[in-house]
Structure formats: structure tokens, C-alpha cells
Amino acid sequence: MSPSHPARQSSELSRRGFLSLAAAGLSATALSACSGPSTSSGPTSGKPQQIDFTGVKPAGEITFWSSNPGSSQEITQQIIDAFHQSQSDIRVQLVTAGSNYEDIAQKFQAAQAGGKLPDLVVLSDVWWFRYYLQDSIIPLDSLFTALNWDTGDYREQLLTDYKYDGATWAMPWARSTPLFYWNKAHWQAAGLPDRAPTTWTEFAEWAPKLKAANAGIQNAFQLPALAGYAGWSFQNVLWGWGGSWSAKGTFDITCDKPESVAALQFLADAVYKNKWSGVAGKDSTNDLSAGAVSATVGSTGSLVGILKVAKFDVGAGFLPGGPAATTPVCPTGGAGVGIPKKIKPENQLAAATFIKFLTSPENTLRFAQATGYMPVRKSADPSSLIAKAPQAKVAIDQLAATRNQDWARVFLPGADQEMANACAAILTKNSEVPGEMAKLRSKLEGIYTSQVKPHLK
């Protein structure tokens, strides 16, 4: 049996539920190795210890480790410069600590063992929870009080992604969802309605028309590069078919259930049997921008880059649904910022002061305009953003129909890479879907048993 767990309640992870998992036990093969940092530094126990910042004076200088998601280095530095102009007590040094979320996570992990820690760090959706397990980041709630920081204006769907055990462990910053992007000129040539398909079955009916009307294109659709978060974007297809990587709000691994297998078989058939889809080698949005394919799914954080490069009108729409569900089939995603535990309270307070400024309504809008990520504050008026890029409204509208990601993807260390490997075997080597999903289930259950369960007792 897979580990089971009560449903998520009040949009927040329940520690009681996790503890019930630990008591339930598993009969899964332990994973001998998995990608990414492990959680072997020791279990957590008890309620989160909130730090008392009474009488603490913010440090005069802090470092911010970022991987500059969405080519955001320039706009982030502009916001830092504005922070310096707004006050003279705290200086922020922006450090490029890697080229992607995995790079920065590895560097942060190494610093825990004796290197120099940052004062705030970018934490992607699949990394923050393992740092909670390692007890290497702090809960932020006492900082909300210390800084008179009202979090009620943050978009609930994004803020609750970082809540666990009655505490908040990061703040949303470079947040995204996948979007369905298409080449409007290809659509027009094929005589298709100017909209995204409602379901993947509908797009499968459109694909031959796109191929026939647009001679020379590689594919009607390009699947995202599998190493680039296949586990993230493919949740959409799984949910549309009534499947999932793990049952909603649980660690009950369901990737090998009939519905999940059927969803991935649909993708495999699109590549091998029906031949209307390919698999991107590096970045499917680049393939779309170059006019080589008619459509793809990509992050909202890719929007600005697509619009800069594409020499055609770009369409952006909600993700298609499937035979079992058409909404909500869009996962949340992206990154937040957190504060390490093993630094001085003065530095933690200074870091929080900057995070409050970084994610203000004005600055989240500036960041969204420059990158394509979503404004994380409800009071941020998106009218100027939409005027510049009307497609941005789609991302904001779709946010109301998002679903929190499968726990197997975001809370099992290294699971995202295992999902990518399984999907690569199916979509680039034509391996049998049921067999690959059975192997994936065993690996995911092994990760839970060895990497997560011991730290939740």
C-alpha cells in the first residue's frame, strides 16, 4: 500500500496529517540515492519556535542569494537600488548563486555545513519544504508582527503554498503558472478559432489541421523539455484525466493508477502514434518563438521573453483540461524567498525588512512587468501590465482556478528529477507507460520512506 493521508484542510498543510503518515508505515523499497540534497541533518519536532525580535536592531548589510529567475537580475537590482534610496540603514548585496533553482539549492545546502550563509535566499516550490525538514529556515510570523507587516494583501493561492504547521516559511516572489501559448498566424492559416483549446482532445483534433496548413513546421505542439520540470507541467494532463502523481493532499502515490497511465499514454501517442507533438531539447518556448512549432506550454515567467523574440502575434490561454476535468487543472509554481536559521537575529530582521519592500504592491508589479511572473499582491493594479502585454491578464485570471501541486512532486526530495527521468523514458525512448509508472511509484515511495518519514515522527 502507498502512504495515505487526510485531505488538505484550510489550504494549509496539516502536521497531524503528516504524523499519521509516519505512524502508518510503508512497504516500499528504500531509495539508495536520489538527486538533490537529502534531509539527513536531523528530524524536526514540536511546534515551530518563533524568534522574539523585541529590541533587535536590523543589520547594516545583508546578502541576497538569487538564481535570477526569468532573467530578473536587472530588475531585482533596480528594486534593491530603490530600497537603498528609501532608507539608509540597510544595504543589500545581490549575489548570483547559480543559474537555476537546483544550483542555488545545492550552494545553500553546502553552506549549511560550514560555508557563509546568505541572509535571504530564493527557494523554489520543490525545495523549501526540505529546508523546513532540515530546520535550516525560520518561520516568518514573528517578523510580520515586528515589522507591522500585514500579509492579508498577498494572493492567498500563492502565500498558502509556504504554510505548514501553523507557520509561514517563505514569501511568494517569482511566482508562476504554466500557460498554453500558441502562434496566432498558424491558427489563422488552419482556420482555427482564436483561443486555446478547451481540452487536450480538442487540440488533438486541431493538430492535423495545423500541420497541413503550415508546411515546414516541426510539430503542431512541443512538449516542454523533460529536465525542465516535466513533473510540474504534466500535472495538468494528469489532473485532466483524473490522475495525479499523488492523491490530492496526501502522499498516496498514484502515478501508476489507470487514470495517470492513460494521461501519460495520451502524451506518448501524441509523439509516437499520432505524431503531432515533439519534445523540446532545451526550451519549448524558444521553439515556439522561432516559429518552429505551433504551440507549447510554458511558464508565465517566459511571457516577456516570448514576446520580445516572436515575430508573430502570440496567443496565451488557460491550460486545456481532459476527459475527467477541465478545471482546476493548472498548478501553482515558481519561487519564494526565505531566511536561514543559522544567522544572527539582526540579519534576519534586516532580511525581512527587505522582503517586505521587495514584495510590495509597487515592486511586485515592476517585477511582473519585467519578467512575466505574476504580481503576488492583490492590491497591485495590473492595468499597466495588461496594457503592455494583454496576455498577462490570462495568467492573473487563471490564478483563481489553480490547484496546489501534488505533494509527491513538491515535498519529496529529488522526486521531480525521478518524474523527469520516467517521462523521458516514455517520451524519448518509447518505453511502456505502465512499467515506467510502476518503477516511478516504487522510487517515490522509497524517497518518502527514507527522506521524509523519519523527520516527521
Side-chain angles (χ1 to χ4, degrees), residues 54-74:
T54 303
V56 175
K57 182 180 179 181
E61 184 172 342
I62 57 172
T63 56
F64 175 21
W65 280 12
S66 179
S67 56
N68 304 313
S71 302
S72 58
Q73 182 174 359
E74 182 178 354

mmCIF file with all atom_site columns, all heavy atoms in Angstrom, residues 54-74:
data_model
loop_
_atom_site.group_PDB
_atom_site.id
_atom_site.type_symbol
_atom_site.label_atom_id
_atom_site.label_alt_id
_atom_site.label_comp_id
_atom_site.label_asym_id
_atom_site.label_entity_id
_atom_site.label_seq_id
_atom_site.pdbx_PDB_ins_code
_atom_site.Cartn_x
_atom_site.Cartn_y
_atom_site.Cartn_z
_atom_site.occupancy
_atom_site.B_iso_or_equiv
_atom_site.pdbx_formal_charge
_atom_site.auth_seq_id
_atom_site.auth_comp_id
_atom_site.auth_asym_id
_atom_site.auth_atom_id
_atom_site.pdbx_PDB_model_num
ATOM 1   N N   . THR A 1 54 ? 12.086 41.522 19.726  1.00 0.00 ? 54 THR A N   1
ATOM 2   C CA  . THR A 1 54 ? 11.984 42.705 20.570  1.00 0.00 ? 54 THR A CA  1
ATOM 3   C C   . THR A 1 54 ? 13.380 43.248 20.877  1.00 0.00 ? 54 THR A C   1
ATOM 4   O O   . THR A 1 54 ? 14.254 42.525 21.348  1.00 0.00 ? 54 THR A O   1
ATOM 5   C CB  . THR A 1 54 ? 11.264 42.371 21.890  1.00 0.00 ? 54 THR A CB  1
ATOM 6   O OG1 . THR A 1 54 ? 9.975  41.817 21.591  1.00 0.00 ? 54 THR A OG1 1
ATOM 7   C CG2 . THR A 1 54 ? 11.114 43.617 22.744  1.00 0.00 ? 54 THR A CG2 1
ATOM 8   N N   . GLY A 1 55 ? 13.595 44.511 20.607  1.00 0.00 ? 55 GLY A N   1
ATOM 9   C CA  . GLY A 1 55 ? 14.865 45.162 20.903  1.00 0.00 ? 55 GLY A CA  1
ATOM 10  C C   . GLY A 1 55 ? 15.971 44.893 19.905  1.00 0.00 ? 55 GLY A C   1
ATOM 11  O O   . GLY A 1 55 ? 17.089 45.407 20.063  1.00 0.00 ? 55 GLY A O   1
ATOM 12  N N   . VAL A 1 56 ? 15.693 44.097 18.875  1.00 0.00 ? 56 VAL A N   1
ATOM 13  C CA  . VAL A 1 56 ? 16.721 43.787 17.876  1.00 0.00 ? 56 VAL A CA  1
ATOM 14  C C   . VAL A 1 56 ? 16.815 44.930 16.864  1.00 0.00 ? 56 VAL A C   1
ATOM 15  O O   . VAL A 1 56 ? 15.811 45.436 16.378  1.00 0.00 ? 56 VAL A O   1
ATOM 16  C CB  . VAL A 1 56 ? 16.389 42.464 17.142  1.00 0.00 ? 56 VAL A CB  1
ATOM 17  C CG1 . VAL A 1 56 ? 17.389 42.208 16.015  1.00 0.00 ? 56 VAL A CG1 1
ATOM 18  C CG2 . VAL A 1 56 ? 16.369 41.296 18.114  1.00 0.00 ? 56 VAL A CG2 1
ATOM 19  N N   . LYS A 1 57 ? 18.030 45.324 16.550  1.00 0.00 ? 57 LYS A N   1
ATOM 20  C CA  . LYS A 1 57 ? 18.286 46.354 15.542  1.00 0.00 ? 57 LYS A CA  1
ATOM 21  C C   . LYS A 1 57 ? 18.726 45.681 14.252  1.00 0.00 ? 57 LYS A C   1
ATOM 22  O O   . LYS A 1 57 ? 19.614 44.822 14.265  1.00 0.00 ? 57 LYS A O   1
ATOM 23  C CB  . LYS A 1 57 ? 19.368 47.320 16.021  1.00 0.00 ? 57 LYS A CB  1
ATOM 24  C CG  . LYS A 1 57 ? 19.669 48.447 15.043  1.00 0.00 ? 57 LYS A CG  1
ATOM 25  C CD  . LYS A 1 57 ? 20.755 49.372 15.576  1.00 0.00 ? 57 LYS A CD  1
ATOM 26  C CE  . LYS A 1 57 ? 21.058 50.482 14.570  1.00 0.00 ? 57 LYS A CE  1
ATOM 27  N NZ  . LYS A 1 57 ? 22.136 51.381 15.062  1.00 0.00 ? 57 LYS A NZ  1
ATOM 28  N N   . PRO A 1 58 ? 18.127 46.038 13.112  1.00 0.00 ? 58 PRO A N   1
ATOM 29  C CA  . PRO A 1 58 ? 18.493 45.382 11.853  1.00 0.00 ? 58 PRO A CA  1
ATOM 30  C C   . PRO A 1 58 ? 19.970 45.555 11.527  1.00 0.00 ? 58 PRO A C   1
ATOM 31  O O   . PRO A 1 58 ? 20.564 46.610 11.797  1.00 0.00 ? 58 PRO A O   1
ATOM 32  C CB  . PRO A 1 58 ? 17.620 46.090 10.821  1.00 0.00 ? 58 PRO A CB  1
ATOM 33  C CG  . PRO A 1 58 ? 16.493 46.683 11.590  1.00 0.00 ? 58 PRO A CG  1
ATOM 34  C CD  . PRO A 1 58 ? 17.055 47.036 12.932  1.00 0.00 ? 58 PRO A CD  1
ATOM 35  N N   . ALA A 1 59 ? 20.575 44.527 10.939  1.00 0.00 ? 59 ALA A N   1
ATOM 36  C CA  . ALA A 1 59 ? 21.960 44.607 10.490  1.00 0.00 ? 59 ALA A CA  1
ATOM 37  C C   . ALA A 1 59 ? 22.096 45.653 9.391   1.00 0.00 ? 59 ALA A C   1
ATOM 38  O O   . ALA A 1 59 ? 21.146 45.936 8.654   1.00 0.00 ? 59 ALA A O   1
ATOM 39  C CB  . ALA A 1 59 ? 22.412 43.243 9.974   1.00 0.00 ? 59 ALA A CB  1
ATOM 40  N N   . GLY A 1 60 ? 23.279 46.176 9.254   1.00 0.00 ? 60 GLY A N   1
ATOM 41  C CA  . GLY A 1 60 ? 23.500 47.236 8.272   1.00 0.00 ? 60 GLY A CA  1
ATOM 42  C C   . GLY A 1 60 ? 23.742 46.743 6.870   1.00 0.00 ? 60 GLY A C   1
ATOM 43  O O   . GLY A 1 60 ? 23.605 47.510 5.906   1.00 0.00 ? 60 GLY A O   1
ATOM 44  N N   . GLU A 1 61 ? 24.072 45.466 6.727   1.00 0.00 ? 61 GLU A N   1
ATOM 45  C CA  . GLU A 1 61 ? 24.342 44.922 5.392   1.00 0.00 ? 61 GLU A CA  1
ATOM 46  C C   . GLU A 1 61 ? 23.932 43.463 5.342   1.00 0.00 ? 61 GLU A C   1
ATOM 47  O O   . GLU A 1 61 ? 24.207 42.695 6.274   1.00 0.00 ? 61 GLU A O   1
ATOM 48  C CB  . GLU A 1 61 ? 25.826 45.055 5.054   1.00 0.00 ? 61 GLU A CB  1
ATOM 49  C CG  . GLU A 1 61 ? 26.168 44.607 3.639   1.00 0.00 ? 61 GLU A CG  1
ATOM 50  C CD  . GLU A 1 61 ? 27.600 44.921 3.240   1.00 0.00 ? 61 GLU A CD  1
ATOM 51  O OE1 . GLU A 1 61 ? 28.224 45.774 3.904   1.00 0.00 ? 61 GLU A OE1 1
ATOM 52  O OE2 . GLU A 1 61 ? 28.088 44.308 2.267   1.00 0.00 ? 61 GLU A OE2 1
ATOM 53  N N   . ILE A 1 62 ? 23.261 43.072 4.266   1.00 0.00 ? 62 ILE A N   1
ATOM 54  C CA  . ILE A 1 62 ? 22.820 41.691 4.096   1.00 0.00 ? 62 ILE A CA  1
ATOM 55  C C   . ILE A 1 62 ? 23.093 41.245 2.665   1.00 0.00 ? 62 ILE A C   1
ATOM 56  O O   . ILE A 1 62 ? 23.260 42.059 1.763   1.00 0.00 ? 62 ILE A O   1
ATOM 57  C CB  . ILE A 1 62 ? 21.318 41.514 4.415   1.00 0.00 ? 62 ILE A CB  1
ATOM 58  C CG1 . ILE A 1 62 ? 20.463 42.445 3.553   1.00 0.00 ? 62 ILE A CG1 1
ATOM 59  C CG2 . ILE A 1 62 ? 21.049 41.720 5.890   1.00 0.00 ? 62 ILE A CG2 1
ATOM 60  C CD1 . ILE A 1 62 ? 18.972 42.206 3.676   1.00 0.00 ? 62 ILE A CD1 1
ATOM 61  N N   . THR A 1 63 ? 23.118 39.914 2.473   1.00 0.00 ? 63 THR A N   1
ATOM 62  C CA  . THR A 1 63 ? 23.286 39.343 1.141   1.00 0.00 ? 63 THR A CA  1
ATOM 63  C C   . THR A 1 63 ? 22.017 38.610 0.728   1.00 0.00 ? 63 THR A C   1
ATOM 64  O O   . THR A 1 63 ? 21.348 37.967 1.543   1.00 0.00 ? 63 THR A O   1
ATOM 65  C CB  . THR A 1 63 ? 24.465 38.356 1.104   1.00 0.00 ? 63 THR A CB  1
ATOM 66  O OG1 . THR A 1 63 ? 24.272 37.340 2.095   1.00 0.00 ? 63 THR A OG1 1
ATOM 67  C CG2 . THR A 1 63 ? 25.781 39.082 1.366   1.00 0.00 ? 63 THR A CG2 1
ATOM 68  N N   . PHE A 1 64 ? 21.698 38.707 -0.546  1.00 0.00 ? 64 PHE A N   1
ATOM 69  C CA  . PHE A 1 64 ? 20.519 38.078 -1.134  1.00 0.00 ? 64 PHE A CA  1
ATOM 70  C C   . PHE A 1 64 ? 21.002 37.138 -2.225  1.00 0.00 ? 64 PHE A C   1
ATOM 71  O O   . PHE A 1 64 ? 21.506 37.563 -3.250  1.00 0.00 ? 64 PHE A O   1
ATOM 72  C CB  . PHE A 1 64 ? 19.590 39.159 -1.695  1.00 0.00 ? 64 PHE A CB  1
ATOM 73  C CG  . PHE A 1 64 ? 18.374 38.653 -2.438  1.00 0.00 ? 64 PHE A CG  1
ATOM 74  C CD1 . PHE A 1 64 ? 17.882 37.370 -2.264  1.00 0.00 ? 64 PHE A CD1 1
ATOM 75  C CD2 . PHE A 1 64 ? 17.705 39.493 -3.318  1.00 0.00 ? 64 PHE A CD2 1
ATOM 76  C CE1 . PHE A 1 64 ? 16.769 36.916 -2.951  1.00 0.00 ? 64 PHE A CE1 1
ATOM 77  C CE2 . PHE A 1 64 ? 16.572 39.062 -4.007  1.00 0.00 ? 64 PHE A CE2 1
ATOM 78  C CZ  . PHE A 1 64 ? 16.114 37.771 -3.834  1.00 0.00 ? 64 PHE A CZ  1
ATOM 79  N N   . TRP A 1 65 ? 20.849 35.820 -1.975  1.00 0.00 ? 65 TRP A N   1
ATOM 80  C CA  . TRP A 1 65 ? 21.226 34.829 -2.969  1.00 0.00 ? 65 TRP A CA  1
ATOM 81  C C   . TRP A 1 65 ? 20.054 34.582 -3.917  1.00 0.00 ? 65 TRP A C   1
ATOM 82  O O   . TRP A 1 65 ? 18.965 34.206 -3.489  1.00 0.00 ? 65 TRP A O   1
ATOM 83  C CB  . TRP A 1 65 ? 21.589 33.516 -2.301  1.00 0.00 ? 65 TRP A CB  1
ATOM 84  C CG  . TRP A 1 65 ? 22.970 33.477 -1.737  1.00 0.00 ? 65 TRP A CG  1
ATOM 85  C CD1 . TRP A 1 65 ? 23.839 34.511 -1.559  1.00 0.00 ? 65 TRP A CD1 1
ATOM 86  C CD2 . TRP A 1 65 ? 23.642 32.309 -1.267  1.00 0.00 ? 65 TRP A CD2 1
ATOM 87  N NE1 . TRP A 1 65 ? 24.995 34.074 -1.002  1.00 0.00 ? 65 TRP A NE1 1
ATOM 88  C CE2 . TRP A 1 65 ? 24.911 32.723 -0.814  1.00 0.00 ? 65 TRP A CE2 1
ATOM 89  C CE3 . TRP A 1 65 ? 23.294 30.957 -1.177  1.00 0.00 ? 65 TRP A CE3 1
ATOM 90  C CZ2 . TRP A 1 65 ? 25.835 31.825 -0.275  1.00 0.00 ? 65 TRP A CZ2 1
ATOM 91  C CZ3 . TRP A 1 65 ? 24.201 30.067 -0.633  1.00 0.00 ? 65 TRP A CZ3 1
ATOM 92  C CH2 . TRP A 1 65 ? 25.454 30.496 -0.204  1.00 0.00 ? 65 TRP A CH2 1
ATOM 93  N N   . SER A 1 66 ? 20.307 34.758 -5.211  1.00 0.00 ? 66 SER A N   1
ATOM 94  C CA  . SER A 1 66 ? 19.265 34.530 -6.206  1.00 0.00 ? 66 SER A CA  1
ATOM 95  C C   . SER A 1 66 ? 19.838 33.795 -7.403  1.00 0.00 ? 66 SER A C   1
ATOM 96  O O   . SER A 1 66 ? 21.029 33.906 -7.712  1.00 0.00 ? 66 SER A O   1
ATOM 97  C CB  . SER A 1 66 ? 18.659 35.860 -6.665  1.00 0.00 ? 66 SER A CB  1
ATOM 98  O OG  . SER A 1 66 ? 17.668 35.651 -7.656  1.00 0.00 ? 66 SER A OG  1
ATOM 99  N N   . SER A 1 67 ? 19.006 33.042 -8.073  1.00 0.00 ? 67 SER A N   1
ATOM 100 C CA  . SER A 1 67 ? 19.361 32.446 -9.357  1.00 0.00 ? 67 SER A CA  1
ATOM 101 C C   . SER A 1 67 ? 18.827 33.302 -10.499 1.00 0.00 ? 67 SER A C   1
ATOM 102 O O   . SER A 1 67 ? 18.890 32.894 -11.661 1.00 0.00 ? 67 SER A O   1
ATOM 103 C CB  . SER A 1 67 ? 18.798 31.023 -9.456  1.00 0.00 ? 67 SER A CB  1
ATOM 104 O OG  . SER A 1 67 ? 17.397 31.027 -9.252  1.00 0.00 ? 67 SER A OG  1
ATOM 105 N N   . ASN A 1 68 ? 18.298 34.478 -10.155 1.00 0.00 ? 68 ASN A N   1
ATOM 106 C CA  . ASN A 1 68 ? 17.763 35.427 -11.136 1.00 0.00 ? 68 ASN A CA  1
ATOM 107 C C   . ASN A 1 68 ? 16.731 34.778 -12.063 1.00 0.00 ? 68 ASN A C   1
ATOM 108 O O   . ASN A 1 68 ? 16.868 34.809 -13.289 1.00 0.00 ? 68 ASN A O   1
ATOM 109 C CB  . ASN A 1 68 ? 18.900 36.039 -11.963 1.00 0.00 ? 68 ASN A CB  1
ATOM 110 C CG  . ASN A 1 68 ? 19.946 36.699 -11.099 1.00 0.00 ? 68 ASN A CG  1
ATOM 111 O OD1 . ASN A 1 68 ? 19.626 37.448 -10.189 1.00 0.00 ? 68 ASN A OD1 1
ATOM 112 N ND2 . ASN A 1 68 ? 21.211 36.412 -11.368 1.00 0.00 ? 68 ASN A ND2 1
ATOM 113 N N   . PRO A 1 69 ? 15.688 34.174 -11.481 1.00 0.00 ? 69 PRO A N   1
ATOM 114 C CA  . PRO A 1 69 ? 14.676 33.502 -12.314 1.00 0.00 ? 69 PRO A CA  1
ATOM 115 C C   . PRO A 1 69 ? 14.044 34.471 -13.296 1.00 0.00 ? 69 PRO A C   1
ATOM 116 O O   . PRO A 1 69 ? 13.815 35.642 -12.994 1.00 0.00 ? 69 PRO A O   1
ATOM 117 C CB  . PRO A 1 69 ? 13.656 33.008 -11.281 1.00 0.00 ? 69 PRO A CB  1
ATOM 118 C CG  . PRO A 1 69 ? 13.857 33.876 -10.075 1.00 0.00 ? 69 PRO A CG  1
ATOM 119 C CD  . PRO A 1 69 ? 15.312 34.185 -10.058 1.00 0.00 ? 69 PRO A CD  1
ATOM 120 N N   . GLY A 1 70 ? 13.780 33.971 -14.518 1.00 0.00 ? 70 GLY A N   1
ATOM 121 C CA  . GLY A 1 70 ? 13.167 34.800 -15.532 1.00 0.00 ? 70 GLY A CA  1
ATOM 122 C C   . GLY A 1 70 ? 14.043 35.960 -15.962 1.00 0.00 ? 70 GLY A C   1
ATOM 123 O O   . GLY A 1 70 ? 13.530 37.029 -16.325 1.00 0.00 ? 70 GLY A O   1
ATOM 124 N N   . SER A 1 71 ? 15.374 35.771 -15.943 1.00 0.00 ? 71 SER A N   1
ATOM 125 C CA  . SER A 1 71 ? 16.325 36.837 -16.318 1.00 0.00 ? 71 SER A CA  1
ATOM 126 C C   . SER A 1 71 ? 16.044 38.108 -15.523 1.00 0.00 ? 71 SER A C   1
ATOM 127 O O   . SER A 1 71 ? 15.983 39.209 -16.075 1.00 0.00 ? 71 SER A O   1
ATOM 128 C CB  . SER A 1 71 ? 16.245 37.114 -17.826 1.00 0.00 ? 71 SER A CB  1
ATOM 129 O OG  . SER A 1 71 ? 16.523 35.952 -18.565 1.00 0.00 ? 71 SER A OG  1
ATOM 130 N N   . SER A 1 72 ? 15.914 37.947 -14.209 1.00 0.00 ? 72 SER A N   1
ATOM 131 C CA  . SER A 1 72 ? 15.437 39.034 -13.351 1.00 0.00 ? 72 SER A CA  1
ATOM 132 C C   . SER A 1 72 ? 16.542 39.821 -12.659 1.00 0.00 ? 72 SER A C   1
ATOM 133 O O   . SER A 1 72 ? 16.250 40.667 -11.814 1.00 0.00 ? 72 SER A O   1
ATOM 134 C CB  . SER A 1 72 ? 14.488 38.470 -12.289 1.00 0.00 ? 72 SER A CB  1
ATOM 135 O OG  . SER A 1 72 ? 15.139 37.477 -11.507 1.00 0.00 ? 72 SER A OG  1
ATOM 136 N N   . GLN A 1 73 ? 17.796 39.576 -12.984 1.00 0.00 ? 73 GLN A N   1
ATOM 137 C CA  . GLN A 1 73 ? 18.874 40.240 -12.259 1.00 0.00 ? 73 GLN A CA  1
ATOM 138 C C   . GLN A 1 73 ? 18.769 41.760 -12.345 1.00 0.00 ? 73 GLN A C   1
ATOM 139 O O   . GLN A 1 73 ? 18.909 42.474 -11.337 1.00 0.00 ? 73 GLN A O   1
ATOM 140 C CB  . GLN A 1 73 ? 20.237 39.789 -12.781 1.00 0.00 ? 73 GLN A CB  1
ATOM 141 C CG  . GLN A 1 73 ? 21.414 40.408 -12.029 1.00 0.00 ? 73 GLN A CG  1
ATOM 142 C CD  . GLN A 1 73 ? 22.747 39.843 -12.463 1.00 0.00 ? 73 GLN A CD  1
ATOM 143 O OE1 . GLN A 1 73 ? 22.812 38.955 -13.320 1.00 0.00 ? 73 GLN A OE1 1
ATOM 144 N NE2 . GLN A 1 73 ? 23.830 40.335 -11.884 1.00 0.00 ? 73 GLN A NE2 1
ATOM 145 N N   . GLU A 1 74 ? 18.509 42.263 -13.533 1.00 0.00 ? 74 GLU A N   1
ATOM 146 C CA  . GLU A 1 74 ? 18.474 43.714 -13.712 1.00 0.00 ? 74 GLU A CA  1
ATOM 147 C C   . GLU A 1 74 ? 17.346 44.355 -12.916 1.00 0.00 ? 74 GLU A C   1
ATOM 148 O O   . GLU A 1 74 ? 17.559 45.347 -12.201 1.00 0.00 ? 74 GLU A O   1
ATOM 149 C CB  . GLU A 1 74 ? 18.330 44.055 -15.194 1.00 0.00 ? 74 GLU A CB  1
ATOM 150 C CG  . GLU A 1 74 ? 18.325 45.552 -15.486 1.00 0.00 ? 74 GLU A CG  1
ATOM 151 C CD  . GLU A 1 74 ? 18.228 45.871 -16.960 1.00 0.00 ? 74 GLU A CD  1
ATOM 152 O OE1 . GLU A 1 74 ? 18.268 44.936 -17.782 1.00 0.00 ? 74 GLU A OE1 1
ATOM 153 O OE2 . GLU A 1 74 ? 18.100 47.082 -17.298 1.00 0.00 ? 74 GLU A OE2 1
#
